[in-house]
């Protein structure tokens, strides 16, 4: 049993055609390990541009989508529109969607359901705020967020779970490998108990939060191995 290493790059609301074109040129020349999935999340207006110019070996993701295929929802994009750009993935439940735009667990779950029904891969984000970690409620928070996602997933093969503690996103603070692995292991145990042993063993759980070129190797190396029942090791996925 083997989990393919997963590297996700979220460009957020940054870039223009010139700067993104330069980045695409660099990525197209990059020497990527054959057993690593790489996915870039581009701003919505540049999805077609990025997918058309980035080599097929690298996946592209939208940073959000809505819960229905079409309608009077000004400013939203649908999975159908994303797929029409030949884009394969979408990020859902990112902390900025939750805490800046007020998206609830229920809405995120509905989005996950519709995205998967539309044959998009979903990078589903969960994570606690600083006050929740300090109050000792990290597990309670991430379990509730994961439950809202799990209630809307029938087939987990196209789901990557991203643990992104809010206090480490864009703050310059990074969770230690030990902190990350502790939450990852507890999440995997929760999934085994509440979804299935198979999903718990196979789902890729990645980390995000002020990951940089300077710290990504340590995060990947020191936290890359999870444990199966019986003590067997498995490569763990990470985001850099």
């Amino acid at each position: 049993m083997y989990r393919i290493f997963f590297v996700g790059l979220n460009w957020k609301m940054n870039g223009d055609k010139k700067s993104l074109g330069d980045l695409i040129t660099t990525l197209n020349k990059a020497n990527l390990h054959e057993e690593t999935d790489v996915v870039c999340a581009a701003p919505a207006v540049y999805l077609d541009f990025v997918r058309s110019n980035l080599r097929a070996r690298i996946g592209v993701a939208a940073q959000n989508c809505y819960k229905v295929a079409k309608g009077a929802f000004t400013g939203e994009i649908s999975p159908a529109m994303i797929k029409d750009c030949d884009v394969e993935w979408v990020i859902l439940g990112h902390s900025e969607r939750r805490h800046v735009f007020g998206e609830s667990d229920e809405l995120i779950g509905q989005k996950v359901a519709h995205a998967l029904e539309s044959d998009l891969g979903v990078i589903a984000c969960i994570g606690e705020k600083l006050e929740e970690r300090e109050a000792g409620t990290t597990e309670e928070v991430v379990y509730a967020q994961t439950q809202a996602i799990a209630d809307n997933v029938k087939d987990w093969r196209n789901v990557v779970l991203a643990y992104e503690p809010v206090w480490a996103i864009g703050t310059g603070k990074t969770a230690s490998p030990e902190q990350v692995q502790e939450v990852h292991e507890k999440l995997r145990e929760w999934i085994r108990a509440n979804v299935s042993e198979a999903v718990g063993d196979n789902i890729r759980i990645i980390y995000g939060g002020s990951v940089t070129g300077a710290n990504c190797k340590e995060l990947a190396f020191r936290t890359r191995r999870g444990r199966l029942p019986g003590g067997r090791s498995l490569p763990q996925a990470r985001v850099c």
Side-chain angles (χ1 to χ4, degrees), residues 1-3 201 224-228 232-236:
M1 193 182 303
Y2 184 79
R3 304 185 203 113
D201 289 345
R224 73 179 298 170
R225 291 198 173 276
R227 292 283 177 180
L228 286 176
R232 290 175 293 154
S233 295
L234 281 179
Q236 181 67 288

Side-chain angles (χ1 to χ4, degrees), residues 72-142:
F73 302 102
T74 301
E76 290 288 352
I77 61 172
S78 70
M81 294 172 176
I82 294 167
K83 287 182 66 66
D84 198 36
C85 295
D86 294 323
V87 169
E88 313 91 345
W89 291 86
V90 63
I91 296 175
L92 292 173
H94 192 280
S95 68
E96 289 150 8
R97 300 302 312 177
R98 293 177 183 273
H99 303 301
V100 177
F101 296 100
E103 293 189 3
S104 65
D105 288 346
E106 180 183 13
L107 175 58
I108 291 162
Q110 293 168 343
K111 290 182 173 188
V112 167
H114 183 57
L116 292 172
E117 289 166 359
S118 303
D119 295 323
L120 281 176
V122 170
I123 303 168
C125 302
I126 59 172
E128 81 283 7
K129 294 184 288 187
L130 180 60
E131 56 265 34
E132 293 165 338
R133 170 164 281 275
E134 291 177 340
T137 60
T138 293
E139 292 173 42
E140 178 183 343
V141 170
V142 298

